[in-house]
Amino acid sequence: LKNGNRYVFPAWQLDRSGKLQPVVQDILDTLKAVTTDPVDLLILMITGLDFFNGKSIKDFLIAGDTVSALQEARMVAKV
């Protein structure tokens, strides 16, 4: 999300060293097939799908399950 002249990222998008997890860029690129609005992208990442028992992309990233996080993004984008 843009904050003034810089970007800020939710902590769950970062790795232990504070850098953006590499898979997050892949997820964002995938979700851009649906929307490019930053707030809408965030909503897509925090909303769980029934197919994944209500878990969201955010939940999978927090759990370290990047494969499921990207799989859910692809389902949302229907890619």
Side-chain angles (χ1 to χ4, degrees):
L1 298 172
K2 192 157 183 155
N3 183 11
N5 62 351
R6 65 188 184 105
Y7 288 91
V8 294
F9 298 90
W12 49 267
Q13 292 183 5
L14 308 176
D15 63 19
R16 294 183 196 271
S17 67
K19 294 181 182 176
L20 188 65
Q21 294 187 56
V23 72
V24 172
Q25 190 59 57
D26 294 333
I27 290 168
L28 291 172
D29 291 343
T30 300
L31 293 176
K32 284 180 182 175
V34 179
T35 183
T36 58
D37 181 85
V39 174
D40 289 341
L41 288 169
L42 180 62
I43 290 168
L44 291 174
M45 292 180 79
I46 63 173
T47 303
L49 293 180
D50 289 340
F51 184 83
F52 289 97
N53 296 320
K55 289 188 177 180
S56 67
I57 294 168
K58 171 190 169 188
D59 296 329
F60 288 122
L61 289 174
I62 289 171
D65 186 353
T66 58
V67 171
S68 294
L70 186 55
Q71 183 180 15
E72 183 165 341
R74 288 179 176 147
M75 287 188 73
V76 169
K78 297 180 178 150
V79 175

